[in-house]
Amino acid sequence: MSKVEVYYRDSEPEPGVSLRIIDHSATVGDLLEAWQPLCDDETLFKSFAKGNHSMCRGCAINCCNTAYVIPDIISFKKMANDLQLSYDEFLRGYFHKEKLALGLPRMKPDPCIFLQNNICTIYPLRSLICRFYVCTQLSGPVEQFIYSLTWTGITATILFAEQKGLLKTQAGLGMSSLDILFKGLIEEYRDNPNVQHFINAEEYSDIPLLPFIDSYTQELLTPKL
Ligand code: SF4
Ligand code: SF4
C-alpha cells in the first residue's frame, strides 16, 4: 500500500490537488512517486497545457522555457555525477553566470539548458522545483508543504556550495525582483533544522516527511498526530 496518496478534490474549503500521508514513515521519495501521475494526467485541468488537458511530456508551452530553477541538493549532486563533472565544473558550465555571482545557482535558462525538443533530457534527475510544478490548482496546505520541501532542499544546495567555497558572491550587482525574493527565502530557511535532512541524504527516500509538517499542514496526516 502507498504511504502517500495524491488526489484531486473539487469541493470547498480547499479545492485542488490534495494529498494524504497515510504512513508516518513516508519519505520525500514516497511523495514524489505519488505525485508523478499528475504530470502524466490528461484529465487534470492545467492552465498552460494544450487544450488545458495534456501530459507535461512534450508540452509546447513548456514551463521549462522560462523556469527559474535552483536545484535542491539531491538533484544537484546527481546531475553533476551523471555528467561526470566536479561540482565546480558543473556550476561553471551549466549555471547562469550573473546569478552565480549573486550567490544564486540558477541553471542556464530561456530555455533550460537541459530542454531539447520540448523534452527534459535529465528527467529522472530533475529537481524538486521541476517535479512539483504542475500548472494546476493545489490546496493551500499542499502548496505550503511542497513549497517548504522545495525551499529547504534549495537552501541545502546553497549551504553545501558555500561550505565547499563554490559560491563566490560579488557585492554591488543588480538584482531582479525574483532574485530578491529567492535571496530572502534562502535566508529564511538557512537556520531551519530540516536543511540537515537534505544535506545528510543521498536519495529522496532518505528524507522523512514528518518533520516538514506544521500546524497548517497537519491535516495532510492521516491519522493525525
Ligand atoms: S506544468 Fe509545464 S510542462 Fe506541464 S502542462 Fe504546465 S506548462 Fe506544460
Ligand atoms: S531540468 Fe528538466 S524539468 Fe527542470 S526546467 Fe530543465 S528541462 Fe525542465
Side-chain angles (χ1 to χ4, degrees), residues 62-69 75 79 107-108 111-116 118-123 125-127 129-131:
N62 214 318
C63 42
C64 310
N65 281 311
T66 53
Y68 193 134
V69 177
S75 172
M79 288 190 287
M107 297 197 324
K108 283 186 179 172
C112 173
I113 191 165
F114 289 116
L115 190 69
Q116 281 177 20
N118 288 328
I119 302 284
C120 173
T121 54
I122 46 108
Y123 199 68
L125 310 179
R126 72 200 192 285
S127 54
I129 204 166
C130 303
R131 290 169 189 258

Side-chain angles (χ1 to χ4, degrees), residues 200-219:
N200 296 336
E202 288 182 15
E203 304 286 343
Y204 292 118
S205 56
D206 296 330
I207 305 168
L209 290 179
L210 213 53
F212 293 85
I213 292 287
D214 60 19
S215 54
Y216 181 51
T217 54
Q218 174 81 219
E219 69 176 65

Side-chain angles (χ1 to χ4, degrees), residues 39 46-50 54-57 59-64 133-135:
C39 305
K46 295 179 185 171
S47 303
F48 307 119
K50 188 179 178 188
S54 73
M55 293 172 67
C56 289
R57 188 179 169 80
C59 168
I61 301 294
N62 214 318
C63 42
C64 310
Y133 182 72
V134 185
C135 54

